[in-house]
């Protein structure tokens, strides 16, 4: 700050006296908020759909919508995920190949190699065979590895394709056509222009504009009308300074440009000085508040010529040139909006050093800030915006087929090169099956040996033992002893009626019966 008279102080050029947020009266000089090095800052241009509320996103506390968009807006994330999965699969197959050679010591790794060979479902009919040999199906470890790699690559590419089909299925097309008078009469919009003069001034220092100029100054179409016939004026004090609002409800596109000027003047203990402007220009269709087009930003005192901080004060007017461009949104049921754009800013009287600003503050003739709003209508052409579908069902199916052929062709060429240069890989299927057959035969033979040892004893497996005796404790020895064991006599009662007949007595009776039958036959 610096003192410009006996009792008052002023901020340096480029700074303004900002009220304390706590309200304790501790004011301090502050620079223009949100200013950039080129004179423009916080610049935002929005069209239809730019003001939709995203606060209802339920994962905002965990994962904000902006972070989610940054993660999914690029296809490279999906491609890198597929590549990482592919590298992990190759690393697993190579580790199982070199670490699981011995099926006895590394049974799990060898089983993993076997199941990898069973996954050979794509290249199993392409056996590396010489001429005059029968083409047969095979299940090789190399084929299984490349079959799964083909599926991983194919799924990764299809995911990217579906992402494109969902996210970019439509392309916004802009077409320009010459404007006719009936077409321009259909544009009925509600316009609002908010211009905030960043300073320590208030609305009490503003001189209310009373007229609006239309046409080109110096030409026959130039007209001056009361401001109330076209726009509605209002002023509101904000923390950054007085905000001038100009509204027009149900405005049509006029054939000429418009000019509106206002000024701020000195008041006791409140000099007219500013460090920049903040603007917010909006347009919406009359009676429809769902869609809006806008442009907003900050204009500081530094420009493209130099980066010196300046203070606006003096008779030369600061001109903000605004252009309104008619647009027809065919993709939103024929919505017709005027797109506001801030094309240019012309600086008025400024001061960049303390001495010149001090002299201006003590000069009553410089105690004014003039601002002019120049509204230009680009009504020669009309922009038509529509959506055109890029990917259809047939093109998606054709793309999927092309991706599958591409995935298979890559790994088929690699597999053919590997089998052609390394002969050991050609008969991997038979070698793996032989190892498995030997293991299966060994397990069966071990079962037979256990059965023989349990049934006949271990001596029967010894070729030098030719005694023919059953070893004690074997199953055959116990069975042989039970078959040759004598029966003990059964004791019964001594009565004649119940005494059984002996075999000798039965033989005597048979002989007697035979002798009795011989005489009868001779008779």
């Amino acid at each position: 700050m610096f003192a410009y008279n006996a009792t008052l102080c002023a901020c340096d050029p480029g700074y303004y006296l900002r009220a304390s947020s706590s309200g304790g009266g501790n004011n301090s000089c502050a620079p223009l908020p949100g200013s950039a090095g080129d004179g423009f800052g916080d610049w935002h241009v929005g069209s239809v759909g730019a003001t939709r509320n995203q606060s209802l996103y339920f994962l905002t506390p965990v994962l904000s919508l902006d972070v989610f968009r940054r993660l999914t807006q690029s296809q490279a994330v999906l491609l890198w995920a597929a590549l990482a999965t592919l590298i992990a699969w190759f690393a697993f197959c190579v580790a199982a190949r070199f670490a699981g050679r011995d099926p006895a010591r590394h049974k799990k790794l060898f089983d993993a190699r076997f199941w990898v060979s069973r996954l050979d479902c794509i290249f199993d009919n392409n056996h590396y065979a010489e001429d005059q040999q029968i083409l047969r199906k095979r299940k090789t470890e190399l084929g299984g590895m490349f079959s799964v790699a083909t599926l991983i690559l194919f799924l990764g590419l299809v995911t990217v394709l579906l992402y494109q089909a969902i996210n970019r299925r439509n392309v916004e097309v802009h077409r320009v056509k010459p404007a006719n008078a009936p077409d321009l009469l259909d544009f009925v919009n509600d316009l609002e222009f908010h211009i905030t003069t960043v300073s320590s001034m208030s609305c009490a220092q503003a001189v209310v504009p009373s007229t609006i100029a239309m046409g080109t100054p110096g030409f026959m179409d130039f007209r001056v009308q009361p401001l109330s016939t076209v726009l509605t004026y209002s002023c509101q004090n904000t923390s950054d300074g007085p905000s001038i609002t100009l509204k027009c409800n149900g405005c049509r596109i006029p054939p000429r440009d418009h000019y509106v000027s206002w000024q701020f003047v000195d008041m006791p203990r409140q000099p007219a000085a500013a460090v920049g402007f903040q603007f917010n220009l909006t347009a919406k269709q009359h009676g429809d508040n769902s869609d809006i087009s806008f442009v907003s930003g900050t204009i500081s005192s530094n420009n493209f010529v130099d980066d010196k901080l300046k203070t606006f004060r003096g008779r030369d007017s600061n001109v903000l040139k605004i252009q309104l461009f008619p647009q027809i949104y065919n993709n939103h049921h024929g919505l017709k909006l005027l797109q506001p754009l801030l094309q240019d800013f012309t600086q008025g009287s400024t001061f960049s050093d303390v001495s010149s600003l001090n002299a201006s503050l003590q000069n009553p003739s410089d105690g004014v800030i003039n601002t002019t709003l120049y509204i230009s209508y680009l009504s020669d052409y009309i922009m038509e915006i529509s959506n055109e579908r890029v990917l259809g069902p047939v093109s998606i199916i054709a793309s999927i087929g092309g991706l599958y052929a591409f995935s298979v062709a890559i790994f088929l060429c690699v597999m053919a090169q590997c089998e052609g240069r390394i002969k050991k890989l050609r008969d991997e299927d038979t070698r793996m099956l032989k190892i498995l057959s030997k293991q299966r035969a060994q397990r069966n033979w071990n079962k037979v040996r256990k059965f023989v040892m349990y049934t006949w004893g271990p001596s029967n497996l010894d070729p030098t033992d030719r005694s023919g005796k059953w070893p004690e404790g074997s199953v055959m020895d116990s069975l042989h002893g039970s078959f040759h064991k004598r029966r003990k006599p059964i004791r019964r009662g001594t009565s004649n009626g119940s005494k059984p007949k002996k075999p000798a007595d039965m033989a005597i009776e048979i002989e007697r019966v035979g002798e009795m039958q011989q005489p009868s036959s001779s008779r």
Side-chain angles (χ1 to χ4, degrees):
M1 303 179 69
F2 64 94
Y4 66 91
N5 59 20
T7 58
L8 297 178
C9 295
C11 295
D12 290 343
Y15 293 85
Y16 72 104
L17 190 63
R18 183 179 179 86
S20 176
S21 59
S22 60
N26 297 324
N27 301 334
S28 61
C29 292
L32 178 67
S35 61
D38 55 357
F40 303 96
D42 297 335
W43 203 274
H44 300 284
V45 178
S47 57
V48 172
T51 59
R52 294 178 181 175
N53 187 13
Q54 302 290 347
S55 61
L56 299 178
Y57 181 57
F58 67 96
L59 288 179
T60 301
V62 182
L63 182 65
S64 64
L65 192 61
D66 294 335
V67 175
F68 182 75
R69 285 175 177 173
R70 285 197 300 268
L71 292 176
T72 57
Q73 67 181 356
S74 178
Q75 304 173 12
V77 177
L78 301 175
L79 293 176
W80 278 111
L83 182 60
T85 306
L86 196 63
I87 294 175
W89 169 251
F90 283 149
F92 169 75
C93 293
V94 172
R97 169 82 179 183
F98 290 100
R101 292 184 177 183
D102 191 356
R105 292 185 299 175
H106 308 286
K107 185 176 183 301
K108 293 184 178 180
L109 291 176
F110 187 81
D111 292 342
R113 292 181 58 190
F114 172 73
W115 286 111
V116 169
S117 65
R118 297 298 94 184
L119 295 175
D120 188 1
C121 57
I122 297 180
F123 307 108
D124 54 359
N125 288 327
N126 301 315
H127 186 68
Y128 189 90
E130 298 179 0
D131 297 337
Q132 307 300 327
Q133 288 188 3
I134 299 175
L135 190 66
R136 59 185 177 83
K137 295 184 70 174
R138 56 87 183 267
K139 297 287 185 179
T140 62
E141 189 177 356
L142 187 65
M145 180 180 68
F146 284 133
S147 295
V148 176
T150 300
L151 294 178
I152 293 173
L153 180 61
F154 173 68
L155 292 178
L157 296 178
V158 168
T159 304
V160 175
L161 177 64
L162 294 179
Y163 175 80
Q164 291 180 352
I166 294 174
N167 193 32
R168 302 178 182 179
R169 60 184 181 274
N170 293 329
V171 174
E172 191 174 81
V173 180
H174 294 238
R175 295 184 176 90
V176 178
K177 70 174 184 179
N180 294 319
D183 298 333
L184 297 177
L185 292 177
D186 293 336
F187 286 85
V188 181
N189 284 188
D190 296 338
L191 305 177
E192 292 186 11
F193 307 103
H194 301 274
I195 309 297
T196 301
T197 304
V198 182
S199 63
S200 57
M201 299 184 299
S202 63
C203 291
Q205 298 177 250
V207 178
V208 179
S210 59
T211 59
I212 181 172
M214 294 183 294
T216 305
F219 284 81
M220 297 179 60
D221 61 346
F222 184 74
R223 299 288 185 274
V224 177
Q225 295 182 359
L227 180 66
S228 59
T229 59
V230 180
L231 299 174
T232 302
Y233 168 86
S234 64
C235 182
Q236 183 181 2
N237 291 320
T238 63
S239 60
D240 294 326
S243 177
I244 304 296
T245 301
L246 300 174
K247 292 184 180 180
C248 178
N249 294 325
C251 289
R252 298 181 184 273
I253 298 180
R256 290 166 290 181
D257 298 336
H258 288 58
Y259 302 88
V260 181
S261 298
W262 63 90
Q263 60 181 201
F264 294 92
V265 296
D266 285 343
M267 291 185 66
R269 306 182 64 86
Q270 288 185 346
V275 296
F277 300 91
Q278 292 179 348
F279 62 92
N280 184 16
L281 316 176
T282 61
K284 59 183 178 181
Q285 191 172 15
H286 185 66
D288 185 7
N289 298 327
S290 59
D291 297 298
I292 186 173
S293 59
F294 69 93
V295 59
S296 62
T298 303
I299 301 175
S300 61
S301 57
N302 51 344
N303 51 28
F304 297 101
V305 179
D306 53 36
D307 295 333
K308 295 181 180 180
L309 296 178
K310 306 178 185 66
T311 296
F312 295 96
R313 177 180 170 84
R315 293 186 175 276
D316 294 340
S317 180
N318 302 286
V319 181
L320 286 80
K321 186 176 181 180
I322 298 172
Q323 291 184 343
L324 299 177
F325 195 76
Q327 294 180 344
I328 300 177
Y329 292 88
N330 295 325
N331 51 357
H332 286 77
H333 308 288
L335 180 66
K336 298 180 180 180
L337 284 179
L338 295 174
Q339 176 64 51
L341 300 172
L342 184 64
Q343 184 189 24
D344 192 14
F345 171 71
T346 303
Q347 292 185 2
S349 299
T350 59
F351 299 94
S352 60
D353 57 282
V354 176
S355 59
S356 59
L357 180 59
N358 189 6
S360 176
L361 291 174
Q362 296 179 11
N363 185 6
S365 61
D366 289 342
V368 65
I369 298 178
N370 291 319
T371 305
T372 301
L373 188 64
Y374 172 25
I375 305 174
S376 175
Y377 295 90
L378 301 178
S379 56
D380 295 336
Y381 296 93
I382 296 178
M383 178 77 71
E384 288 189 348
I385 301 174
S386 59
N387 291 338
E388 293 185 0
R389 186 176 296 274
V390 178
L391 297 176
V394 178
S395 59
I396 292 177
I397 294 175
S399 300
I400 292 175
L403 293 178
Y404 179 79
F406 173 75
S407 304
V408 173
I410 287 180
F411 292 106
L412 178 61
C413 294
V414 176
M415 190 184 68
Q417 291 295 325
C418 293
E419 290 186 346
R421 298 176 183 274
I422 305 174
K423 295 183 179 180
K424 187 178 180 180
L425 299 176
R426 300 178 186 178
D427 55 349
E428 257 192 341
D429 52 347
T430 57
R431 187 165 58 255
M432 180 74 72
L433 293 177
K434 286 179 181 179
I435 294 174
L436 295 175
S437 299
K438 289 181 180 179
Q439 288 184 340
R440 191 180 301 110
Q442 185 66 34
R443 289 195 299 269
N444 294 336
W445 174 242
N446 291 336
K447 292 179 182 179
V448 172
R449 288 177 61 87
K450 290 180 181 179
F451 177 76
V452 171
M453 291 173 63
Y454 177 75
T455 306
W456 283 279
S459 62
N460 285 274
L461 298 176
D462 187 5
T464 59
D465 188 3
R466 299 184 180 183
S467 61
K469 296 181 179 181
W470 309 115
E472 295 182 0
S474 63
V475 177
M476 296 302 297
D477 180 52
S478 61
L479 292 175
H480 182 74
S482 63
F483 287 150
H484 293 80
K485 189 175 181 180
R486 296 181 181 180
R487 286 188 174 183
K488 295 181 180 181
I490 301 175
R491 296 182 181 180
R492 298 181 180 275
T494 57
S495 61
N496 295 329
S498 60
K499 184 177 182 181
K501 294 182 180 181
K502 297 181 179 180
D505 297 337
M506 294 177 65
I508 294 173
E509 290 181 358
I510 291 172
E511 290 178 357
R512 289 179 180 177
V513 172
E515 290 177 356
M516 292 176 64
Q517 289 179 353
Q518 288 180 0
S520 60
S521 60
S522 61
R523 290 179 182 179

